[in-house]
Amino acid sequence: MDHGKKQAVTLTGVPETLLWNLYHRAFAARQPAPVLQDPKAVELVGTVGYPFAETFGPASPFLAQGQALRVRTFDSVVRDFLAEHPAGTVVALGEGLRPSSGAWTTAG
């Protein structure tokens, strides 16, 4: 991929709302002391050709931190569940709460 050229994205409706999550996750991750390390969100916002600020307005520090805390909390609950139920299954249906690594794993 040519990192000098942005990849155009055209979404509408419900799928477009996931870009709001991405935008705020990246904003939160770029803060001096982020509650969620999310280099993938930062990378994607930098390489996706989407008018984030024009569509969603300026990123809100309050909403961005709230989104990051929500993701971190969800991730913690899923990890605890998988630690207690190593054969358990977690289904994530595009809610924008997946960890920045993209996957949950068990220690075994």
Side-chain angles (χ1 to χ4, degrees), residues 46-64:
T47 59
V48 169
Y50 182 83
F52 291 98
E54 293 84 356
T55 302
F56 304 124
S60 163
F62 178 74
L63 293 175

Side-chain angles (χ1 to χ4, degrees), residues 62-84:
F62 178 74
L63 293 175
Q65 178 142 346
Q67 175 68 7
L69 288 168
R70 186 174 162 231
V71 171
R72 190 174 77 178
T73 300
F74 187 77
D75 187 39
S76 176
V77 169
V78 169
R79 287 186 188 279
D80 290 348
F81 170 80
L82 290 174
E84 189 172 328

Side-chain angles (χ1 to χ4, degrees), residues 7 13 21 23 25 30-32 37 41 45 47 50-51 53 67-68 71 78 80 83 95 97-98 100 106:
Q7 178 69 37
N21 289 332
Y23 178 50
R25 284 176 69 153
R30 288 195 297 283
Q31 299 311 300
Q37 298 290 330
V45 166
T47 59
Y50 182 83
Q67 175 68 7
V71 171
V78 169
D80 290 348
E95 73 299 316
L97 297 175
R98 292 190 57 151
S100 60
T106 59

